[in-house]
Amino acid sequence: MTAIEALDAAWMREHPLPDPGGSGKDGRGQVLVVGGEVELAGAAMLAGVAALRAGAGKLQLAVAQDAVAALSVALPEARVLSLPRDGPDSARGHWTRLTEQAGHCDALLVGPGMMDDDSGLAAGLLAASQAIVVDAGALKAVTDAPPRSARILTPNAGEMAGLLGVSREKVEADPLAAGTQAAERFGAVVVAKGATTHVIHPDGRAGRYAGGGPGLGVSGSGDVLAGLIVGLLARGACPFDAAAWGVFLHGEAGARLASRIGRLGYLAREISTEAPSILSSF
């Protein structure tokens, strides 16, 4: 492995994001977020808002049918699709529509608000997009999928343990080693989330971000991080840079909220609101 780089403001200046210039929304990419089951449809909304805050131009969400109307009103910036319920055979229309949309988007995020993949939805979507972020309940599908260099995985310690078939304690004892193993095994950029977050490329490159603070350990925070990353990916950033920038934005937003609101107590929905001003400082 090469030397671990600090993912700080200097690194961001040395690795600028693609300049959208005067392009409209089509020039900044289209994001599709898939995974909002009815009890957790808000997770997809958190991720989708974060993608827009990161500068993506167009957004679609796919959530449980019972949540479509509510999210269409709560997030009028997005087109909201209905998730297939029981697999491709029993929900052929919705399944086909979703895979077609996945194939047409610039970046796909699968997993926020997905508790499992019993229908095989995540597994079916892993090959549907050239640029894909895999999070939460969709991560299990990666174990049976062929490697893809444009894929970004965002596991926490428990999810990493499940991916590698080891104990959570082993992952927490050496998260960089676990992330490196996962990056090599799955041929993907891995964001090993924790108090210190590592971003690891399958070629051995690695970055470390240790800022942010304990307030980021709040329900929905991981959905926001995944949304920031997929938004940057849609804008044209390479997978490693999109992941590194997303981790940095997420952490710096937490630091700003901590100084203004308090170390603890700010909400996940507030994190992505800080992203535009942080981006504008570069």
Side-chain angles (χ1 to χ4, degrees):
M1 176 183 289
T2 57
I4 302 171
E5 299 181 89
L7 299 177
D8 54 15
W11 192 97
M12 303 303 143
R13 283 191 290 269
E14 292 171 2
H15 299 81
L17 293 168
D19 184 358
S23 64
K25 59 185 179 182
D26 291 322
R28 299 202 310 276
Q30 176 172 299
V31 167
L32 172 61
V33 179
V34 178
E37 296 183 21
V38 67
E39 297 96 337
L40 296 170
M45 180 174 168
L46 286 171
V49 169
L52 293 176
R53 293 290 191 183
K58 299 171 73 173
L59 174 65
Q60 297 182 45
L61 305 179
V63 300
Q65 185 174 0
D66 291 345
V68 168
L71 259 65
S72 295
V73 174
L75 187 54
E77 297 88 349
R79 178 184 180 187
V80 185
L81 310 173
S82 178
L83 281 174
R85 289 192 173 191
D86 302 307
D89 294 331
S90 60
R92 177 65 64 183
H94 285 168
W95 191 281
T96 301
R97 182 185 183 200
L98 190 57
T99 54
E100 287 176 351
Q101 293 298 324
H104 293 151
C105 71
D106 295 291
L108 172 66
L109 168 57
V110 185
M114 181 181 288
M115 291 182 286
D116 53 48
D117 188 36
D118 289 344
S119 69
L121 176 62
L125 289 171
L126 288 185
S129 177
Q130 290 301 310
I132 179 170
V133 180
V134 189
D135 185 44
L139 283 163
K140 293 178 182 178
V142 173
T143 59
D144 297 321
R148 175 168 290 185
S149 59
R151 192 174 291 152
I152 302 171
L153 314 182
T154 58
N156 59 31
E159 292 160 345
M160 182 77 81
L163 283 174
L164 298 177
V166 299
S167 69
R168 181 179 184 131
E169 290 73 20
K170 183 174 182 178
V171 171
E172 291 176 336
D174 195 342
L176 177 58
T180 300
Q181 182 181 351
E184 293 174 351
R185 179 179 298 183
F186 303 114
V189 171
V190 172
V191 178
K193 297 185 292 192
T196 296
T197 294
H198 294 88
V199 179
I200 306 108
H201 193 281
D203 68 6
R205 283 179 288 156
R208 176 177 55 233
Y209 181 83
L216 288 171
V218 65
S219 179
S221 180
D223 303 313
V224 174
L225 173 58
L228 291 170
I229 294 171
V230 79
L232 297 167
L233 198 59
R235 286 180 52 181
C238 71
F240 187 88
D241 286 7
W245 266 95
V247 167
F248 177 80
L249 288 174
H250 186 257
E252 294 301 295
R256 289 190 178 194
L257 289 167
S259 66
R260 190 168 70 249
I261 296 175
R263 292 177 69 247
L264 302 177
Y266 57 83
L267 304 178
R269 73 185 71 165
E270 296 170 311
I271 298 170
S272 63
T273 62
E274 303 294 324
S277 62
I278 297 171
L279 285 168
S280 68
S281 67
F282 289 92

